[in-house]
Amino acid sequence: MGERKEVAIGMVGCGFYAQNHLHAWSDLAPEGALLTAVCDRDPEKALAAGTRFGVPHFTDMARMLDEVKIDLVDIATRMDSHKELAQIAAARGVGAVVQKPLAPNWEDCVAIVEEAKRRGAWLAVHENFRFATAMRNVKKVLAQGTIGRPTWARLSWRTGFDVYRGQPYLAEEQRLVVQDVGIHVLDLARYFLGEVEHLTCETQKRNPKIKAEDTATIMMRHVSGAVSLVEATYAARRGDDPFPETLIEIEGDGGSLIVSKGEKMKVTTQGLTFEDEIGGPLLAWTSRPWHVSQEAVLHTNRHMFERFRDGLAADTSGEDNLKTYALVEAAYESARTRQAVKPRR
Ligand code: NAD
Ligand code: 89V
C-alpha cells in the first residue's frame, strides 16, 4: 500500500453555499483531504467557520497562504473575485478549485485558465451538477449503451423556489438564469450528449422585481447529430416543484431514459421498461430540498481532491469548463441577435 498522500485544503469564502463545501471537506478528512484553514473577508464569517471546523481563520487569502501550508484552495466566493483569487493561488503554484461561474465574462475566464497554465498551477471549476449521484447513474446507463446512441434530449430545470432568499445578489445580476443555473444544465448536456455544433436561445424576464433574465429556452445541435433542449427558469409557478433537480428525457436509437421529480428514473429498452430511484442519500449535514445539490458537493470535492492528489486534471478542469462557458456566451449572443450561434473553440 503506497504512502497515503494528504492534501491541505484552504477554504476561501465562507458564505451561503460554502457551508456545504466546509461540511464536505470535513467528511473527506479520513480520506486525506485536510481542511487546514478558512478565509473570508468578513471577519465574522471567517471566525464562525474557523471556530465551527476547528481551523485557523483569515480575512485575506494571500496572508493565509503566507502563514499556512496549503496545497489546494477551494474558492467559493462570488464570481467578481474569482480572477484575483485564482491568480493569487496560481502565482504561488497553489492548486485552485473555483466555484461557477468561473468569471463574469469570457475574457476573464480565459485569462484565469491561461494564467494557471502559464504558472503550471492546477485549476478546476466546482461545477457539481454532473457529480450528483442521480446524474452519475444517468451517465452509467448511457455508457452501457442501454438506450443505444442518444439522438434527442430535454434537460429541464424549472422552479419557483425562492432562490433570492439565500442568494439575494441574484436579483441584481446583469446576466442571470443562463449564467447562474443554465451553466449547470448546459454542462450536463455536454456530459450526456457531447460537444455542441450550434445553438439558438430565447430569454425572458418574467419577474418584474429582478434586473436580468429569469427564463431561458435553448435548442442545441450536438456534433454527434443529436438535438437537445435545455430549459432553465426561476419563474415557474407549478405544484410539486422539483427544486433543485434537473428533469431529464433522453431518447436513443435503442430506447429512452426519463428522470422525473424525486430522482426517479425510467429506462425503456428492447420493449421493456425498468424503474429505479437513482438519487443519493441524505447526509448528516444535508436537508431537503437542497440535499440533491449538497450531496453533489461531497462527490465534487472528492473528485477534486483525488485528481489533484494524483496529479491528474479534473473532469471539470478550467480548460474543460471553458467549453461550457462558451455555451453560456453563445446563448446570450443568440438571444441578442435572434440567430443560431456556433460556440467559441
Ligand atoms: P455569498 O455571497 O453568500 O458568499 C460569498 C462569500 O465570499 C462571502 O461571505 C464574502 O464575504 C466572501 N468573499 C468575497 N470576496 C472575498 C475575498 N476576496 N476573499 C475572501 N472572501 C471573500 O455567495 P454564495 O451564494 O455562497 O455563492 C458563492 C459562489 O457559489 C457563487 O459563485 C455561486 O454561483 C456559487 N453557488 C454554487 C452553487 C452550486 O454549486 N450548485 C449553489 C449556490 C451558489
Ligand atoms: O446551484 C446554483 O448554482 C444556485 C441555484 C440557485 C441555481 O441553485 O445558484
Side-chain angles (χ1 to χ4, degrees):
M1 179 76 166
E3 181 205 347
R4 188 183 81 154
K5 196 173 149 211
E6 294 178 339
V7 173
I9 307 287
M11 187 73 230
V12 183
C14 300
F16 170 73
Y17 200 73
Q19 303 310 310
N20 303 309
H21 289 238
L22 288 160
H23 280 293
W25 287 127
S26 179
D27 282 4
L28 291 169
E31 300 173 35
L34 304 181
L35 183 67
T36 305
V38 297
C39 170
D40 195 294
R41 68 181 176 189
D42 177 330
E44 286 179 13
K45 290 182 183 176
L47 173 63
T51 306
R52 185 168 192 189
F53 291 92
V55 295
H57 60 276
F58 296 84
T59 56
D60 177 81
M61 178 176 129
R63 180 140 175 258
M64 177 178 80
L65 296 179
D66 289 342
E67 297 193 12
V68 180
K69 182 190 174 302
I70 298 291
D71 302 309
L72 180 65
V73 286
D74 184 11
I75 299 171
T77 60
R78 298 211 320 259
M79 61 183 171
D80 58 325
S81 55
H82 289 173
K83 181 178 173 185
E84 179 205 1
L85 295 171
Q87 293 188 337
I88 290 172
R92 285 168 166 78
V94 172
V97 188
V98 185
Q99 254 288 357
K100 47 57 66 177
L102 181 55
N105 57 64
W106 174 256
E107 292 70 23
D108 282 356
C109 288
V110 172
I112 293 170
V113 171
E114 292 192 345
E115 176 69 1
K117 205 186 300 181
R118 194 170 71 81
R119 299 275 191 174
W122 194 91
L123 174 71
V125 175
H126 183 105
E127 167 41 65
N128 62 33
F129 272 34
R130 65 163 72 187
F131 290 99
T133 299
M135 300 299 104
R136 300 311 264 201
N137 284 322
V138 168
K139 183 69 175 180
K140 232 182 257 174
V141 171
L142 295 178
Q144 287 162 356
T146 311
I147 67 167
R149 187 173 59 84
T151 50
W152 185 90
R154 180 182 179 209
L155 287 77
S156 176
W157 197 94
R158 309 191 76 81
T159 190
F161 181 85
D162 183 6
V163 295
Y164 308 100
R165 186 157 166 241
Q167 300 168 250
Y169 57 86
L170 293 176
E172 302 302 319
E173 299 290 9
Q174 297 305 313
R175 306 196 305 180
L176 178 56
V177 80
V178 179
Q179 182 154 281
D180 183 65
V181 69
I183 199 167
H184 290 303
V185 191
L186 290 165
D187 191 69
L188 282 177
R190 288 186 53 227
Y191 183 49
F192 295 143
L193 296 160
E195 302 311 335
V196 173
E197 176 64 36
H198 61 261
L199 63 78
T200 52
C201 174
E202 289 290 344
T203 58
Q204 297 163 281
K205 181 168 93 74
R206 298 154 69 190
N207 175 348
K209 297 184 191 130
I210 65 172
K211 284 202 176 126
E213 90 285 355
D214 57 15
T215 300
T217 307
I218 305 170
M219 185 165 67
M220 305 201 293
R221 169 75 72 173
H222 294 258
V223 171
S224 67
V227 171
S228 66
L229 191 61
V230 167
E231 309 165 10
T233 186
Y234 300 129
R237 296 285 174 268
R238 304 181 178 198
D240 211 17
D241 194 306
F243 178 87
E245 297 174 31
T246 305
L247 306 187
I248 294 171
E249 301 168 55
I250 301 177
E251 295 177 0
D253 55 15
S256 65
L257 179 160
I258 312 285
V259 177
S260 55
K261 183 179 184 304
E263 301 182 296
K264 295 183 174 70
M265 178 166 72
K266 202 178 274 188
V267 174
T268 299
T269 180
Q270 318 286 338
L272 297 170
T273 295
F274 305 90
E275 297 191 38
D276 200 352
E277 297 206 354
I278 58 169
L282 278 172
L283 304 171
W285 50 274
T286 67
S287 59
R288 297 179 187 285
W290 280 97
H291 64 293
V292 171
S293 176
Q294 291 171 310
E295 74 107 26
V297 172
L298 177 62
H299 303 306
T300 307
N301 283 12
R302 177 178 287 115
H303 176 85
M304 299 302 172
F305 156 64
E306 291 176 347
R307 291 296 175 93
F308 175 80
R309 178 198 62 196
D310 300 344
L312 302 171
D315 287 352
T316 55
S317 65
E319 276 288 349
D320 175 81
N321 193 255
L322 284 181
K323 294 176 187 161
T324 296
Y325 204 98
L327 299 182
V328 169
E329 291 291 345
Y332 282 119
E333 185 183 342
S334 174
R336 183 173 54 79
T337 62
R338 297 273 196 272
Q339 302 290 319
V341 173
K342 285 179 177 292
R344 288 173 168 90
R345 297 183 144 220

